Amino acid sequence: MIDTHCHLDFQAFEQDRTTVIERSKLNGVTQIVVPAVSAATFKQTIKVCQQYSELELALGLHPIFIKEHQPQDLNELDELVTKHRPIAVGEIGLDFFQADLNNDKVKEKQTVFFTKQLIIAKQHKLPVIIHNRKAHDLCINVLTKIGSRGGIIHAFNGSIQQAHKYIELGFVLGFGGMLTFERSSKLRNLAKQIPLESIVLETDAPDMTVAQHKGERNSPEYLPFIQQALASTKQLSPDTIAQVTSANAKRVLNI
């Protein structure tokens, strides 16, 4: 299986990164996509991905950190994409969920950075990994305007109508640890309606952990819990879930 979204470069894994990767492989997770989040951490993300053949590099400027992003960061991103040729530009997007990000000035800056990173991805003929909270309609509008080579909508939790629009634009939708919680009936119903050919699995480790490890650091080795939850939701075998979602990830990320 492929974990399409995992921050193994974060400090949370500094002490046992190699062990986590080995345990993940024992659990059937053979490839892990590691998206960068800021220019300040680009070097660390690149370094970690170069150390392990199981890791796939993505480079981008995360909307959560929009206040620290500077215009020159976009130039650095463009240069590093040229030099290191990541599999995607990400983690990029829009986040209007947090109160400190939900004002006109910050929203405008987010939209500008999102748009410019989409253009970088388009110029380099790369897919994108998109983080989106409370801004799906704007995201779809920007994607439609700029155009893209598709990619992944990370931790998708929009409407079924928005899901179909993303799929029409060439995207697959990421489902993670929230799917393992019994209370996530809305998300499970959404996963049930979306074609399996448009779904990929992700952990978002060290965050958004699975129900089986609630309160603990999340890990890519827990991807089988998400696999099982999706299998149960769709009434399909776990093997089918693994095969199809991995094929989806390989297709959209050109792995």
Side-chain angles (χ1 to χ4, degrees):
M1 287 188 293
I2 300 173
D3 183 350
T4 62
H5 200 110
C6 175
H7 298 286
L8 265 178
D9 56 322
F10 280 14
Q11 185 67 32
F13 293 106
E14 198 61 37
Q15 300 302 316
D16 63 346
R17 190 173 289 119
T18 300
T19 304
V20 167
I21 291 171
E22 290 305 315
R23 287 201 303 258
S24 299
K25 287 163 67 177
L26 289 173
N27 283 346
V29 183
T30 55
Q31 285 174 292
I32 301 168
V33 179
V34 183
V37 296
S38 69
T41 59
F42 281 164
K43 288 182 180 178
Q44 167 70 0
T45 310
I46 292 166
K47 176 185 172 185
V48 168
C49 287
Q50 287 176 336
Q51 287 176 334
Y52 301 95
S53 60
E54 298 85 359
L55 306 187
E56 302 285 358
L57 173 69
L59 291 173
L61 300 166
H62 195 302
I64 286 285
F65 305 107
I66 191 65
K67 292 178 181 178
E68 67 184 60
H69 298 333
Q70 301 298 322
Q72 61 265 29
D73 296 344
L74 292 164
N75 295 330
E76 183 180 0
L77 173 63
D78 191 21
E79 291 170 4
L80 290 175
V81 168
T82 300
K83 181 178 179 181
H84 295 284
R85 195 61 188 175
I87 62 167
V89 171
E91 178 174 0
I92 68 174
L94 302 166
D95 192 319
F96 300 162
F97 178 76
Q98 294 186 193
D100 63 327
L101 301 178
N102 194 5
N103 65 70
D104 290 344
K105 184 178 180 181
V106 177
K107 283 182 177 180
E108 182 180 359
K109 185 178 178 183
Q110 281 196 47
T111 306
V112 167
F113 270 73
F114 179 45
T115 301
K116 289 187 175 181
Q117 289 183 93
L118 286 175
I119 292 170
I120 289 171
K122 190 175 181 181
Q123 289 172 338
H124 288 276
K125 299 180 179 179
L126 289 173
V128 289
I129 297 172
I130 294 179
H131 167 107
N132 192 292
R133 289 200 295 182
K134 300 295 183 183
H136 284 297
D137 288 339
L138 176 58
C139 182
I140 289 166
N141 288 341
V142 174
L143 286 169
T144 303
K145 179 182 176 183
I146 302 299
S148 77
R149 297 178 71 87
I152 297 172
I153 306 298
H154 154 59
F156 180 71
N157 195 16
S159 68
I160 189 63
Q161 292 81 11
Q162 290 165 337
H164 288 311
K165 287 180 180 177
Y166 282 126
I167 292 167
E168 288 170 11
L169 290 167
F171 285 84
V172 293
L173 311 173
F175 284 85
M178 289 303 296
L179 205 61
T180 64
F181 288 87
E182 288 187 15
R183 68 175 186 271
S184 298
S185 54
K186 178 188 170 187
L187 189 65
R188 289 184 177 185
N189 187 50
L190 192 62
K192 192 181 294 184
Q193 296 178 71
I194 294 169
L196 184 58
E197 289 71 24
S198 297
I199 292 176
V200 292
L201 303 181
E202 58 179 33
T203 61
D204 199 21
D207 301 318
M208 294 178 68
T209 196
V210 294
Q212 293 83 352
H213 291 272
K214 186 178 179 182
E216 301 174 21
R217 179 192 70 177
N218 197 8
S219 174
E221 68 200 274
Y222 301 154
L223 197 68
F225 291 115
I226 301 164
Q227 171 199 16
Q228 185 61 55
L230 186 60
S232 176
T233 298
K234 285 195 163 292
Q235 297 185 315
L236 295 168
S237 73
D239 282 349
T240 298
I241 297 297
Q243 290 167 9
V244 178
T245 58
S246 295
N248 297 342
K250 289 178 179 179
R251 181 184 73 248
V252 77
L253 297 175
N254 301 309
I255 298 175

